């Protein structure tokens, strides 16, 4: 168990700077998730922490110890990979025990330790199988077993669930969460799936183009996004982002599209509102209204796409699944004003 | 259109198979009888298509009895059409001639059964036409491939087992009288090992080839791994140019090499050969292994680094076990290059005690040494490679790396 501190990390691939002066403080025992669009540098950052990737500038501290120049093994971390990366020519027992074996642990101690880990992960019956005889979920459990046997200072997960099918992913997500509660080890988890990020993390780190955009708890990111990027990235379906102007205290989406929102804030450029926070009503005068273009029924919820005649942009609204919606019907939209976010010209959220 | 009907395909395949087998068995006849036979094609060009029509028209009641009857009918037709003397051969060989004709009709019928099976004589669907062509071409291709590999080998072995007298008497006769005793039959081989130092040549070839394989693998495995995994400046240029050595013919290299090696006293020594051979084989080995290593998941290497292995240990414990099939095939390939290499050995080696096999066989090529010795030498040079190949075949089956990463 350990704290991890990144100071001013920079990384270039030839002339392309992929990590830009990143500072990060991870406390002991925290579950941190890196999220961001593909190519944002989240995996590279993880590999820098693990030592698999060299860095050009900055320092990595683990337990206040500078490990910048240390090889991966000496950092005492363990990692789980997207492709599981099991050794194909070794059985499950050897895969799990490999790191202890290379560090010269005696075979009887090795055996009890492997069996201990296998018990935690319910792999006891599979110890003599080769990786190719395992299912995806079992392979992932072996990979996790290989990571926990060393009692590492921290776990690093590099998109560990993205190769599993949807049902298994939910199951393994829960298992990882349970494991973290049991072991209490500092964990860094990279994913592009924000559901994983929201459900697992104590703290989410949102990255874009090699920079940290915002750090915070899932609740904070969802309700108080720092800027447009985070607002759009967190939450499915996406937050509606609309151009707007302020006139006589009211917000207008267009010259004559008046909404029900009043505000005292100045220099407003855009507004954002989540689909959950829009109510539908009968189309009346002085209420923003539009035609229903599409309707997605998901069983537990229902999304309608409403065309209000603003630059061909459709507003997504989440509604009760029992409401019958007719296509091209004209409906009115009421924004719940306390959930409306305003953004200024450079994308920052107005507070 | 006529070419969409099964009947057309039966005539076509009957004709082609007929001509093919007629040529083949005429050659077989010439080689076994040792007498010239005339190649008669005009009759078979009618009988073949007839057999084809017969096959396709009787699709519904094919049975073993019918097959036997059909083969006899075809044999009979061939005899009748040649007025009883199919190859214009002498009378004393009538039994062998009969066997040949029987075999010809048997093969024609089996080939027809292969390519026309389940085809109706009426209009065919696109799928039927395609499957006919696939089966037909597959059959012809396979047989031609087998023949061009086996016939030279057959001639080589048979010639090596003959004696000087019978060879001069009739060089075409490739039958062997198996009633003679062991010593006369294998006379050439015994001669080569007792009087011509072939045991030395064999040992020399083994030394040179095995050392070449070891040196090549020793350098190319880490080299290929580095090219596949590590970030090396100008890696692309290096890995591209390394293969360029193959653009230079060895005859161009050999003259300067000859001069330099003579000067420093490495010519006329096996050590000199062992220096030169790996220089030509390492680039190819590097190229082949690099491809295989880059196909392995690099995440496995990352996992091994996290587990505390050094790069060298990763090569030994992860990369080599996982690429065993590739390493075996590269090793085999290098072994064969070194074993069969002739030009450099011919230029470098003067002392008969350090001849390699190919150089040794070359030394047999003079008017005083009978031809069957040369053939026996060729057999001696071929057999070890074949044995090694057959033995290592089981390692060449890949699929070892499957399953470790998501696939």
């Amino acid at each position: 168990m350990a704290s991890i501190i990144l100071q001013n990390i920079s990384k270039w691939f030839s002339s392309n700077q992929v990590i830009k002066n990143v500072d990060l403080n991870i406390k002991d025992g925290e579950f941190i998730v890196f999220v961001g669009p593909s190519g944002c540098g989240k995996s590279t950052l993880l590999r820098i922490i693990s030592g698999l990737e060299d860095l050009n500038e900055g320092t990595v501290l683990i337990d206040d110890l500078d490990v910048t120049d240390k090889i991966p093994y000496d950092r005492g971390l363990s990692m789980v990979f997207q492709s599981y990366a099991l050794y194909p020519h070794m059985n499950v027992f050897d895969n799990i025990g490999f790191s202890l074996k290379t560090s010269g642990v005696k075979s009887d101690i090795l055996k009890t330790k492997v069996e201990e880990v296998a018990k935690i992960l319910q792999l006891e019956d599979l110890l003599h199988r080769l990786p190719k005889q395992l299912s995806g979920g079992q392979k992932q459990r072996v990979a996790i077993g290989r990571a926990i046997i060393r009692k590492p200072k921290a776990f690093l997960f590099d998109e560990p669930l993205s190769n599993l099918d949807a049902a298994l992913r939910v199951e393994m997500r829960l298992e990882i969460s349970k494991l973290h509660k049991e072991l209490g080890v500092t964990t860094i988890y990279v994913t592009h799936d924000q559901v994983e990020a929201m459900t697992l993390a104590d703290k989410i780190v949102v990255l874009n183009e090699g920079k940290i955009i915002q750090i915070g708890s899932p609740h904070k990111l969802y309700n108080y996004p720092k800027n447009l990027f985070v607002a759009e990235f967190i939450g499915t379906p996406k937050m509606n982002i609309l151009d707007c102007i302020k006139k006589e205290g009211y917000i207008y989406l267009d010259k004559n599209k008046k909404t029900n929102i009043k505000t005292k804030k100045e220099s407003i450029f855009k507004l954002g509102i989540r689909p959950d926070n829009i109510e539908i009503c009968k189309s009346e005068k002085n209420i923003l209204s539009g035609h229903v273009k599409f309707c997605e029924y998901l069983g537990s919820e229902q999304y309608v796409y409403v065309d209000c005649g603003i630059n061909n942009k459709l507003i997504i609204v989440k509604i009760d699944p029992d409401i019958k919606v007719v296509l091209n019907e004209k409906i009115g939209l009421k924004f719940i004003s306390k959930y409306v976010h305003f953004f200024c010209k450079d994308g920052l959220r107005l507070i | 259109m006529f070419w969409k009907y099964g009947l057309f395909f039966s005539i076509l395949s009957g004709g082609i198979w007929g001509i093919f087998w007629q040529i083949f068995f005429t050659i077989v006849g010439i080689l076994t009888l040792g007498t010239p036979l005339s190649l008669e094609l005009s009759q078979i060009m009618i009988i073949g298509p007839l057999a084809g029509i017969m096959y396709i028209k009787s699709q519904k009641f094919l049975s073993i009895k019918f097959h036997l009857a059909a083969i006899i009918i075809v044999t009979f037709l061939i005899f009748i059409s040649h007025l009883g003397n199919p190859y214009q051969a002498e009378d004393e060989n009538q039994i062998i001639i009969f066997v040949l004709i029987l075999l010809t009709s048997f093969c024609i019928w089996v080939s027809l059964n292969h390519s026309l099976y389940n085809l109706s004589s009426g209009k065919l669907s696109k799928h039927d036409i395609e499957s006919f062509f696939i089966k037909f071409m597959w059959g012809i291709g396979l047989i031609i491939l087998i023949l061009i590999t086996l016939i030279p080998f057959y001639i080589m072995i048979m010639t090596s087992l003959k004696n000087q007298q019978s060879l001069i008497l009739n060089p075409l006769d490739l039958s062997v009288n198996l009633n003679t005793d062991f010593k006369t039959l294998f006379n050439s081989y015994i001669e080569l090992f007792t009087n011509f130092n072939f045991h030395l040549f064999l040992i020399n070839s083994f030394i040179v080839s095995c050392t070449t394989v070891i040196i090549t693998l020793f350098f190319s495995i880490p080299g290929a791994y580095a090219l596949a995994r590590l970030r090396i400046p100008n890696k692309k240029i290096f890995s591209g140019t390394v293969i360029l050595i193959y653009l230079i013919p060895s005859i161009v290299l050999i003259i300067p090499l000859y001069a330099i090696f003579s000067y420093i006293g490495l010519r006329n020594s096996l050590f000199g050969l062992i220096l030169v051979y790996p220089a030509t084989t390492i680039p190819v080995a590097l190229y082949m292994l690099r491809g295989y290593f880059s196909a392995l998941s690099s995440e496995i290497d990352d996992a091994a680094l996290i587990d505390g292995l050094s790069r060298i240990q990763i090569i030994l414990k992860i990369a080599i076990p996982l690429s065993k099939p590739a390493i075996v095939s590269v090793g085999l390939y290098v072994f064969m290059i070194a074993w069969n290499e002739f030009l450099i050995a011919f230029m470098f080696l003067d002392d008969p005690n350090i001849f390699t096999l190919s150089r040794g066989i070359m030394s047999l090529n003079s008017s005083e040494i009978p031809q069957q010795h040369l053939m026996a030498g060729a057999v001696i040079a071929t057999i070890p490679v074949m044995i090694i190949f057959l033995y290592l075949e089981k390692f060449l089956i890949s699929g070892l790396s499957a399953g470790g990463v998501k696939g």
Side-chain angles (χ1 to χ4, degrees):
Chain A
M1 283 195 259
S3 63
I4 298 172
I5 298 168
L6 307 183
Q7 290 172 339
N8 200 24
I9 304 272
S10 289
K11 169 79 185 171
W12 278 266
F13 283 132
S14 59
S15 62
N16 187 12
Q17 189 174 7
V18 289
I19 302 290
K20 294 165 185 163
N21 307 85
V22 165
D23 285 296
L24 185 62
N25 233 318
I26 299 168
K27 289 194 208 99
D28 186 10
E30 263 184 329
F31 200 119
I32 298 286
V33 176
F34 291 173
V35 284
S38 52
C40 70
K42 54 191 191 298
S43 278
T44 312
L45 198 57
L46 191 76
R47 290 170 63 86
I48 286 172
I49 295 170
S50 73
L52 291 172
E53 205 78 64
D54 294 329
L55 42 76
N56 300 93
E57 265 172 37
T59 28
V60 179
L61 303 176
I62 296 175
D63 265 344
D64 302 324
L65 209 76
D66 187 352
V67 294
T68 315
D69 296 321
K70 286 204 170 152
I71 61 165
Y73 180 72
D74 292 342
R75 299 185 182 202
L77 311 174
S78 57
M79 191 158 169
V80 176
F81 296 88
Q82 180 178 8
S83 67
Y84 323 133
L86 302 180
Y87 309 121
H89 55 305
M90 300 180 195
N91 63 22
V92 172
F93 184 94
D94 290 333
N95 261 292
I96 294 177
F98 190 66
S99 63
L100 294 185
K101 211 172 165 186
T102 41
S103 59
V105 171
K106 280 197 190 110
S107 63
D108 48 331
I109 301 172
L110 181 83
K111 201 169 173 239
T112 51
K113 282 199 167 178
V114 171
E115 275 163 5
E116 210 175 287
V117 168
K119 209 176 163 195
I120 297 173
L121 297 164
Q122 294 145 32
L123 291 167
E124 294 117 309
D125 303 334
L126 308 173
L127 284 176
H128 297 288
R129 297 233 191 131
L130 285 174
K132 67 178 167 202
Q133 296 161 322
L134 300 176
S135 70
Q138 289 167 338
K139 281 183 197 172
Q140 195 54 273
R141 283 218 288 277
V142 175
I144 292 171
R146 196 169 58 177
I148 62 178
I149 196 164
R150 276 173 50 199
K151 303 244 153 59
K153 290 178 182 163
F155 288 131
L156 311 177
F157 289 92
D158 189 0
E159 306 203 15
L161 305 184
S162 55
N163 275 340
L164 300 175
D165 60 61
L168 210 55
R169 205 178 297 171
V170 175
E171 196 183 302
M172 291 301 294
R173 199 170 72 200
L174 213 64
E175 246 174 88
I176 290 175
S177 181
K178 213 170 79 190
L179 207 69
H180 178 250
K181 294 261 152 37
E182 272 170 33
L183 303 173
V185 179
T186 316
T187 304
I188 306 175
Y189 188 106
V190 165
T191 181
H192 59 259
D193 178 4
Q194 44 149 318
V195 180
E196 274 171 36
M198 299 291 276
T199 50
L200 287 170
D202 293 329
K203 238 193 226 171
I204 297 179
V205 177
V206 182
L207 288 149
N208 189 31
E209 291 173 350
K211 277 187 286 202
I212 292 181
I213 306 294
Q214 190 175 4
I215 305 172
S217 65
H219 182 267
K220 189 179 162 197
L221 290 195
Y222 191 79
N223 293 304
Y224 310 102
K226 191 176 167 191
N227 61 12
L228 268 174
F229 177 79
V230 180
E232 275 193 292
F233 192 76
I234 302 288
T236 34
K238 272 189 187 176
M239 185 188 273
N240 295 299
I241 304 287
L242 305 162
D243 291 332
C244 61
I245 35 177
K246 194 177 157 193
K247 226 157 67 179
E248 297 148 7
Y250 279 96
I251 296 293
Y252 283 71
L253 295 184
D254 209 338
K255 263 178 199 155
N256 45 13
K257 304 267 178 199
K258 191 179 166 192
T259 64
N260 58 323
I261 304 162
K262 261 177 165 177
T263 183
K264 285 176 185 153
K265 287 172 184 151
E266 292 302 324
S267 69
I268 293 169
F269 182 62
K270 279 183 176 177
L271 75 78
I273 179 126
R274 296 199 184 276
D276 328 30
N277 303 327
I278 304 176
E279 286 172 346
I280 59 170
C281 56
K282 280 217 171 104
S283 170
E284 284 171 29
K285 243 189 178 179
N286 287 337
I287 286 182
L288 180 69
S289 57
H291 298 278
V292 176
K293 284 287 161 196
F294 307 103
C295 185
E296 288 175 345
Y297 177 75
L298 299 180
S300 63
E301 51 211 43
Q302 186 168 218
Y303 299 116
V304 288
Y305 292 75
V306 183
D307 180 10
C308 294
I310 330 157
N311 300 334
N312 292 328
K313 204 163 177 177
L314 299 178
I315 297 176
I316 309 170
V317 185
K318 179 181 161 187
I319 58 169
D320 191 304
D322 293 334
I323 299 174
K324 277 260 182 298
V325 184
V326 185
L327 284 188
N328 285 324
E329 183 191 10
K330 197 168 186 189
I331 54 170
L333 301 177
K334 253 188 206 163
F335 294 174
I336 301 171
S337 56
K338 70 169 179 171
Y339 293 119
V340 176
H341 306 285
F342 295 108
F343 300 95
C344 66
K345 207 158 192 178
D346 51 9
L348 286 176
R349 191 171 67 95
L350 296 165
I351 303 156
Chain B
M1 268 181 285
F2 73 92
W3 52 269
K4 280 192 174 167
Y5 286 83
L7 200 62
F8 169 71
F9 289 113
S10 69
I11 293 170
L12 183 78
S13 56
I16 294 177
W17 282 122
I19 292 168
F20 181 83
W21 288 117
Q22 179 76 1
I23 295 172
F24 176 71
F25 281 107
T26 311
I27 295 171
V28 170
I30 293 169
L31 291 183
T32 45
L33 290 173
T35 55
L37 300 175
S38 89
L39 178 59
E40 307 273 336
L41 285 181
S42 47
Q43 288 90 339
I44 206 76
M45 279 162 89
I46 295 165
I47 295 167
L50 277 179
I53 294 168
M54 188 159 84
Y55 183 88
I56 206 152
K57 284 289 181 196
S58 52
Q59 283 274 14
K60 284 190 191 96
F61 40 93
L62 287 179
S63 64
I64 293 184
K65 267 186 201 164
F66 180 80
H67 284 310
L68 287 176
I71 291 167
I72 291 167
I73 291 169
V74 174
T75 314
F76 183 69
L77 280 175
I78 296 175
F79 265 101
I80 293 287
S81 64
H82 289 91
L83 304 171
N85 192 359
Y87 296 113
Q88 317 291 329
E90 288 147 37
D91 284 346
E92 58 199 273
N93 296 325
Q94 279 310 327
I95 294 167
I96 292 176
I97 297 285
F98 178 74
V99 173
L100 283 176
I101 295 298
L102 201 62
L103 281 174
T104 310
S105 35
F106 175 77
C107 285
I108 291 173
W109 194 257
V110 169
S111 312
L112 286 173
N113 188 29
H114 170 75
S115 51
L116 294 177
Y117 191 70
N118 264 346
L119 222 60
S120 79
S121 63
K123 200 158 190 247
L124 295 179
S125 68
K126 196 175 159 228
H127 172 264
D128 283 338
I129 296 175
E130 265 176 21
S131 85
F132 164 78
F133 271 111
I134 289 170
K135 281 195 256 177
F136 184 61
M137 297 297 179
W138 189 84
I140 290 222
L142 188 72
I143 289 164
I144 290 178
L145 201 70
I146 291 171
L147 292 185
I148 57 175
T149 37
L150 282 189
I151 286 177
F153 206 71
Y154 175 80
I155 294 174
M156 185 169 82
I157 290 177
M158 287 308 157
T159 314
S160 76
L161 294 176
K162 287 169 78 169
N163 56 36
Q164 185 71 355
Q165 193 188 9
S166 64
L167 200 66
I168 291 171
L169 205 65
N170 187 355
L172 267 181
D173 179 12
L174 287 173
S175 61
V176 163
N177 186 3
L178 291 171
N179 291 328
T180 50
D181 62 314
F182 178 83
K183 251 191 165 168
T184 19
L185 200 60
F186 290 94
N187 180 43
S188 298
Y189 295 88
I190 296 163
E191 279 266 307
L192 286 181
F193 279 108
T194 48
N195 298 339
F196 292 94
N197 280 340
F198 256 61
H199 58 291
L200 279 183
F201 300 167
L202 257 178
I203 293 167
N204 288 337
S205 271
F206 261 111
I207 292 171
V208 171
S209 308
C210 292
T211 327
T212 306
V213 171
I214 291 165
I215 294 174
T216 305
L217 290 181
F218 182 79
F219 285 106
S220 59
I221 289 174
Y225 181 84
L227 283 181
R229 281 284 182 276
L230 307 181
R231 273 191 213 112
I232 305 166
N234 300 327
K235 184 166 85 174
K236 261 193 180 151
I237 299 172
F238 178 74
S239 61
T241 44
V242 107
I243 204 80
L244 280 183
I245 192 166
Y246 263 75
L247 293 184
I248 307 166
S250 55
I251 191 80
V252 176
L253 289 174
I254 207 160
I255 298 159
L257 271 179
Y258 186 92
I260 295 165
F261 274 45
S262 305
Y263 186 69
I264 55 179
L266 282 174
R267 213 181 65 78
N268 199 17
S269 74
L270 288 182
F271 181 69
L273 280 191
I274 290 167
L275 274 187
V276 178
Y277 285 177
T280 60
T281 52
I282 284 174
V284 205
L286 207 63
Y287 201 76
M288 288 164 79
L289 286 176
R290 189 194 59 161
Y292 201 88
F293 284 152
S294 14
L296 294 176
S297 160
S298 67
E299 283 194 342
I300 292 181
D301 291 21
D302 291 343
L305 281 174
I306 298 263
D307 276 348
L309 262 59
S310 67
R311 285 285 179 187
I312 303 282
Q313 282 175 313
I314 290 178
I315 293 176
L316 292 175
K317 289 189 181 166
I318 311 284
I320 291 181
L322 286 186
S323 49
K324 221 188 261 163
I327 290 172
V328 169
S329 48
V330 168
L332 203 61
Y333 176 73
V334 169
F335 185 88
M336 292 212 293
I337 290 181
W339 186 268
N340 294 329
E341 206 289 329
F342 167 69
L343 195 63
I344 298 172
F346 181 61
M347 294 290 284
F348 276 27
L349 303 178
D350 300 330
D351 177 0
N353 282 323
I354 58 164
F355 277 1
T356 58
L357 265 177
S358 53
R359 176 71 183 92
I361 294 168
M362 180 62 190
S363 71
L364 294 180
N365 190 11
S366 75
S367 53
E368 292 125 57
I369 297 162
Q371 202 195 349
Q372 65 269 28
H373 283 27
L374 209 64
M375 291 293 180
V379 173
I380 293 171
T382 319
I383 280 172
V385 180
M386 285 180 73
I387 292 171
I388 292 172
F389 213 103
L390 290 177
Y391 174 71
L392 289 181
E393 197 231 340
K394 60 172 181 268
F395 293 106
L396 294 175
I397 300 159
S398 55
L400 194 69
S401 68
V405 293
K406 167 87 180 176

